[in-house]
Amino acid sequence: MQEVVLIEVSGRDRPGITMTLTETLIGKGVGEGARDRVRILDIGQSVIHNTLALGILVELPADSSGCQVFRELLFAAHRLGLDARFTPIESNAYEEWVREQGQPRHILTLLGAVINAEHIARVAAVVSRNGLNIDQITRLSGRISQHQEVADQHQRTSGSRPACVELWLRGPVPDISALHASFLELGKQLDVDIAIQEDDIFRRNRRLVCFDMDSTLIQTEVIDELAAAAGVGEQVAAITERAMRGELDFSASFRERVALLEGLEESVLAEIATRLPITEGAERLTHSLKALGYRIAILSGGFTYFAEHLKQRLAIDIVHANPLDIKNGRLTGQVTAPIVDGARKAQLLREIATQEGIRLEQVIAVGDGANDLPMLAIAGLGIAFHAKPLVKEQARHSLAAVGLDGILYLLGMRDRDLEHLRQ
């Protein structure tokens, strides 16, 4: 009967370790024989600060002289300065391990200006309470020099290059909404972002991202800027805030606000467009996604004039927003239907996905206001970005501690991969 053994090796990393150990397993230089039939059932390796942890689960043929194999492996490990341990695996335990491959898998992404032991401990506690097991932990963000850390502390705290680790979880999740809520509350307490996604084929094959514009791609509400120039800033800002919180019907409030802009000179639009504050991480995100072949759209309840300006700056492919009615060089205060409200955003997202031959599961939607919730709900990855409380609670994912480029980590991208895109 074949023997299953877990081989665990640890020590200083160096080139050639895997080659030496596997050659020892089969017997270096031997021909066709029992040792040639050693089967690798599983293998995994990690390296932290040049320290190796390697595991190999092997099945040895009944006629392989297992004791001799392990003795040779011990000698080989000793020559390499490594520690080796061998654990026989009983048949029942092995079969149980095989059956576990059908268990659901989820990916948890932890993002913050820094990640400390408390963050990991508190996240792991929630994972444990929900009966999940951590299979793997991987750092996605780049290494940070201690000297660079001091110099860049303010920049990283503001979210430009966050720290990020990814945890692979195994086990059923009876109530994913409750788990989301637990991590959302924990994220608030720790000032970090915690996202959990089902690990399926669509997570690795997103193809389209649809952005809200105001307070998402840019750090302002354009209509408030226009209102300030028209001398009705306080009135419009109050209406905008209530609409974004979901307290007012968006279309009705939009008409009310635009009416207050009647008479504003057209020349003001260009002045505002040139000073739009781009959200931190937006350029890194859009340029990276374009390099990877993503299609990018703006679906905005704001104005087409400003969305077209961003289209040029951020390499956007598609724009849907609301045109401003202008006559004799001044805004008329009138609105052209259909208004891009929440329902219209969801409809446009569906239409673009269909036109591009993309499934909804492959779409990312990002927004901050209540009028973004319909498109966040139907996208495969819906993200509430620095959003209002109502939106955070209802969206499946939320980012509040980092910039827009934090989305790259939700897609499993590493800093080192992203650096290659810039070359």
Side-chain angles (χ1 to χ4, degrees), residues 242 264 356:
R242 293 182 64 196
L264 182 66
E356 299 290 336

Side-chain angles (χ1 to χ4, degrees), residues 305-324:
Y305 182 95
F306 302 97
E308 289 290 344
H309 177 82
L310 287 179
K311 179 179 180 181
Q312 301 302 317
R313 181 166 178 179
L314 299 178
I316 306 295
D317 299 296
I318 302 163
V319 164
H320 289 282
N322 300 297
L324 282 164

Side-chain angles (χ1 to χ4, degrees), residues 16 20 29 54 71 86 91 94 97 163 165 172 230 315 357 372:
T20 300
L54 170 64
R71 187 171 70 172
F86 309 104
S91 177
Y94 174 76
W97 174 78
V165 294
D372 295 310

